[in-house]
Amino acid sequence: MNSSDPNRSDPIRGDLTSRDMTSGDMTSGDMTSGDTNGDDLAALGRQLRVDSVRAAAAADSGHPTSSMSAADLMAVLLGGHLRYDFDRPDHPGNDRFILSKGHASPLLYAAYKAAGALTDEELLTFRKEGSRLQGHPTPRALPWVEVATGSLGQGLPVAVGMALSGKRLEQIPYRVWVMCGDSELAEGSIWEAAEHAGFEHLDNLTAVVDVNRLGQRGPTRHEWNLKAYADRFKAFDWHVIEIDGHDVDAIDRAYREAGSTAGQPTVILARTRKGKGVAAVEDREGKHGKPLPDTDEAIEELGGAHDVRVRVRKPAAARIMRTIRSGHLELPRHDVGEEIATRDAYGQALTALGRARGDVVAVDGEVGDSTRTEYFAKEHPERYFECYIAEQQLVASAVGLAARGWVPYATTFAAFLTRAHDFVRMAAISGSGINLVGSHAGVAIGEDGPSQMGLEDLALFRAVHGSTVLYPCDAHQTGQLIARMAELDGVRYLRTTRGATPVIYGPGEEFSVGGSKVLRSGDADRLTLVAAGVTLHEALSAAELLEDQGIAVRVIDLYSVKPVDRQTLREAAEQTGCLVTVEDHREEGGLGDAVLDAFTDGAPVPRLVRLAVRTMPGSASPEEQLRAAGIDAQSIAAAVRLLVEEAVVR
């Protein structure tokens, strides 16, 4: 028994229930999870292969051979070890299962059918328009899918986040199972996850690797060399089991061993054959991602179609150990004119939010002293997760924690979040509610130079489906927006600044997502300056310089970059005729493009002038950097004077 799983019991072995297993018409029967023997499980494996073949044939697309190799692994899991209530996918005691090799979705859907969650009729809607059974699984369609998969190398990292939740936060003895393919073990994210799981001693995590030797275009790097994989996992302190992935008794013993292993995560390296059971495709190259050439012949070779249903064992009653308290949020207060970096304000606000909400957790990439997540870590250490310099695992942990009901804030330098963009993209497909905060944004960070400067982050996050992108300019705005992010859906991103900036808003100011603030305006305004964050302060200074020269300009704080405040921008365009965006970001995809979004539905497009970072910065002071990029107060004022002179000439 696993000392960390006191509520788990070994599967009960029983007699084979007699049923017709001949080829021909679909036959039916029932088996109870645990009350099965090797013949039962082998028969279930054949059924999962047949249904994978049938689903792909009905769709005329899909990956049946990748499903067939893992069918016995799935059959033993479903028939003897998974604890899951399909009627209550939110049951706190349910085991979690992630199909990291998401292209093998026919196998997953065949398993759902065997568990009675899907009908045979729905199985055959695979990949059709309007079907829940998409080409790669997504939780938006099916309640039993934990997260979207299909981009290889992501299932194990997300599973680590879930296992962390179970072990450190929920303290519920569910097991996290993740099925990987051997091809995806070439992904660096797999090894970020492997090291993190070993370091955290996640003995509630079991990875099952379907080592079927063949990838998409031919053999994998290590083919059937299980030792090559074993050595790597052992180096990260995993308990390693090597088996024949088609020997159901060996699979059963491996799953039992995983459940009784304490102090280490377990990986089961299963040697399998792609397309197992059908000679025309078994262990043959060039058969990846294609329906089988002769479906009827293949089904007959596999023993015929059956409709055996498995009564999957339900989890034991689970007591939720965590207490999600909800209290009054008291955000830090500052004096107007006080200078404070928004990264400092973020750390303070997040810590305050953690006092008010017990479901808020923080994840950092070993830069907590710079991002200021360390403030949260000192006050709420039990809800702080250090991912070290592994940004893919950072975001994956947030996704896994969110899937278990937590509200994660994951933080690193804005520039380094680009490494995890694919995880962000997949989080959006999952409908995952995660908060990402990027510090050290723009050239304003100063002497560290371009490798540390987030100059593409706004574009990256604006392009994510359903995302929210925020860029505060002062401490009170930062605190308000950090609190509002917790209530939003989808991927939320907030950009913070390294250097101190003056507080310009009072503590009672409200900031709605999708809003903006007009800080200067008048009937004589010649144009409108639109800025956010660092450049908002430069725009305000420029406006004062211009006022001394008799030029009135409007200034808009566009702190909500997505969604953008269309009404305010349209009014400014109508009343002043020209919008000038000023951003510490690349010209492409940032604030200027966000402003254009306000005019994409037929509204008249005003004259738009963009001031942005167009050069490759070097090392210099923050003031020198802003000047060199042409986005400091003097440069803004000079650009406005030229525009006004041009307008006079016209």
Side-chain angles (χ1 to χ4, degrees):
M1 294 284 293
N2 187 338
S3 61
S4 68
D5 283 4
N7 293 335
R8 301 183 68 87
S9 59
D10 288 336
I12 302 169
R13 309 296 290 184
D15 296 330
L16 171 66
T17 301
S18 177
R19 61 178 65 87
D20 182 5
M21 287 296 178
T22 59
S23 60
D25 294 334
M26 182 176 291
T27 59
S28 63
D30 292 312
M31 64 172 69
T32 300
S33 173
D35 298 329
T36 52
N37 62 23
D39 290 338
D40 282 323
L41 297 173
L44 179 57
R46 290 193 296 273
Q47 174 176 305
L48 297 179
R49 287 190 180 90
V50 168
D51 282 345
S52 297
V53 170
R54 294 173 63 235
D60 196 27
S61 66
H63 298 77
T65 58
S66 300
S67 302
M68 295 160 75
S69 61
D72 296 315
L73 300 169
M74 181 68 85
V76 179
L77 179 62
L78 195 67
H81 296 268
L82 186 71
R83 314 297 169 84
Y84 199 90
D85 187 341
F86 280 88
D87 294 327
R88 291 184 58 197
D90 59 347
H91 190 302
N94 279 342
D95 282 354
R96 324 316 304 179
F97 177 79
I98 299 176
L99 182 68
S100 190
K101 50 177 284 179
H103 57 285
S105 57
L107 174 62
L108 184 66
Y109 303 148
Y112 289 162
K113 176 200 159 185
L118 298 180
T119 64
D120 190 67
E121 290 75 19
E122 185 171 15
L123 178 70
L124 300 184
T125 68
F126 175 54
R127 285 189 169 219
K128 291 182 170 61
E129 184 178 7
S131 173
R132 295 193 297 171
L133 311 187
Q134 299 180 17
H136 294 79
T138 167
R140 293 190 170 204
L142 295 167
W144 317 290
V145 174
E146 300 288 347
V147 290
T149 55
S151 181
L152 294 177
Q154 297 207 18
L156 185 60
V158 172
V160 167
M162 290 183 178
L164 284 168
S165 176
K167 193 173 182 67
R168 284 184 48 182
L169 298 175
E170 297 173 272
Q171 299 175 33
I172 297 175
Y174 59 73
R175 180 159 294 275
V176 182
W177 302 87
V178 55
M179 183 174 289
C180 301
D182 50 349
S183 287
E184 67 180 314
L185 266 59
E187 289 279 7
S189 57
I190 290 288
W191 303 109
E192 286 187 17
E195 182 165 23
H196 201 70
F199 178 78
E200 293 283 355
H201 307 290
L202 298 180
D203 50 15
N204 58 343
L205 173 64
T206 299
V208 183
V209 183
D210 176 24
V211 187
N212 63 26
R213 191 185 76 83
L214 293 175
Q216 178 170 323
R217 60 97 194 100
T220 59
R221 177 180 290 150
H222 299 296
E223 300 192 45
W224 279 321
N225 182 2
L226 299 189
K227 183 177 183 301
Y229 299 119
D231 289 346
R232 286 160 174 77
F233 277 103
K234 287 177 182 177
F236 292 129
D237 199 26
W238 283 60
H239 178 61
V240 178
I241 306 171
E242 300 178 37
I243 61 169
D244 175 350
H246 299 306
D247 182 337
V248 293
D249 290 325
I251 298 168
D252 178 68
R253 289 192 298 270
Y255 289 167
R256 289 170 179 264
E257 187 175 331
S260 64
T261 298
Q264 292 177 293
T266 296
V267 60
I268 298 169
L269 300 171
R271 174 174 170 148
T272 63
R273 297 176 71 85
K274 199 165 185 174
K276 170 69 175 177
V278 176
V281 296
E282 184 172 325
D283 193 36
R284 292 179 180 269
E285 295 184 26
K287 305 300 181 183
H288 180 88
K290 302 174 183 176
L292 270 58
D294 190 327
T295 301
D296 291 339
E297 184 177 314
I299 291 173
E300 183 177 356
E301 189 174 351
L302 289 167
H306 302 276
D307 191 24
V308 174
R309 299 301 173 97
V310 181
R311 290 190 290 270
V312 176
R313 180 175 295 178
K314 295 181 180 181
R319 183 165 63 93
I320 299 178
M321 302 297 291
R322 57 179 173 163
T323 300
I324 304 300
R325 66 183 184 277
S326 179
H328 177 65
L329 174 62
E330 293 187 10
L331 292 169
R333 300 169 71 91
H334 308 276
D335 295 329
V336 172
E338 179 184 353
E339 295 207 347
I340 181 170
T342 56
R343 60 168 173 162
D344 294 339
Y346 160 67
Q348 295 168 1
L350 183 64
T351 305
L353 188 62
R355 294 187 204 111
R357 295 186 53 152
D359 57 350
V360 168
V361 299
V363 191
D364 198 87
E366 210 256 285
V367 286
D369 56 338
S370 290
T371 63
R372 303 305 194 240
T373 314
E374 66 177 3
Y375 300 168
F376 186 97
K378 290 175 181 177
E379 188 163 323
H380 311 292
E382 75 285 357
R383 285 183 277 142
Y384 176 77
F385 296 87
E386 178 59 74
C387 285
Y388 302 93
I389 306 294
E391 288 81 13
Q392 294 177 102
Q393 186 57 54
L394 171 84
V395 176
S397 293
V399 172
L401 289 163
R404 298 302 307 132
W406 302 95
V407 180
Y409 285 76
T411 315
T412 186
F413 287 15
F416 305 153
L417 282 169
T418 60
R419 298 186 182 190
H421 181 239
D422 191 32
F423 281 81
V424 175
R425 181 182 67 88
M426 290 297 292
I429 295 173
S430 293
S432 181
I434 59 173
N435 302 288
L436 302 173
V437 179
S439 72
H440 291 61
V443 299
I445 71 168
E447 291 85 353
D448 278 349
S451 69
Q452 312 297 296
M453 296 173 176
L455 288 168
E456 305 83 13
D457 54 315
L458 297 179
L460 183 156
F461 285 100
R462 283 185 64 247
V464 173
H465 175 75
S467 63
T468 299
V469 182
L470 306 169
Y471 186 16
C473 71
D474 85 342
H476 288 144
Q477 194 176 67
T478 301
Q480 289 275 352
L481 294 176
I482 287 297
R484 289 189 180 277
M485 288 170 73
E487 305 295 340
L488 301 176
D489 295 326
V491 175
R492 293 89 82 170
Y493 176 66
L494 184 138
R495 195 185 210 220
T496 65
T497 300
R498 181 185 192 181
T501 54
V503 175
I504 63 173
Y505 295 110
E509 193 81 29
E510 293 288 332
F511 302 95
S512 62
V513 174
S516 66
K517 293 290 183 179
V518 179
L519 298 180
R520 293 178 66 109
S521 68
D523 294 339
D525 292 339
R526 305 294 297 273
L527 53 74
T528 300
L529 296 176
V530 184
V534 167
T535 58
L536 187 278
H537 299 281
E538 299 296 326
L540 288 172
S541 297
E544 292 179 3
L545 291 172
L546 292 164
E547 184 179 33
D548 292 340
Q549 298 164 15
I551 302 174
V553 296
R554 188 167 301 187
V555 178
I556 294 177
D557 176 7
L558 201 69
Y559 63 83
S560 182
V561 182
K562 181 186 176 184
V564 74
D565 187 348
R566 295 187 171 209
Q567 181 177 346
T568 298
L569 290 170
R570 289 180 179 185
E571 289 175 356
E574 181 180 352
Q575 294 168 12
T576 68
C578 178
L579 304 181
V580 179
T581 58
V582 189
E583 56 188 310
D584 192 1
H585 184 273
R586 294 293 180 197
E587 180 180 10
E588 298 83 3
L591 204 66
D593 282 351
V595 168
L596 278 179
D597 281 351
F599 304 92
T600 55
D601 59 354
V605 179
R607 184 180 187 189
L608 177 65
V609 177
R610 308 176 193 222
L611 302 181
V613 181
R614 296 185 175 91
T615 61
M616 181 57 69
S619 289
S621 70
E623 296 76 17
E624 291 167 335
Q625 297 277 19
L626 292 171
R627 184 171 63 250
I631 54 175
D632 68 332
Q634 293 287 351
S635 300
I636 297 168
V640 170
R641 286 194 296 269
L642 285 174
L643 290 169
V644 170
E645 290 171 6
E646 288 178 8
V648 171
V649 171
R650 290 178 185 174

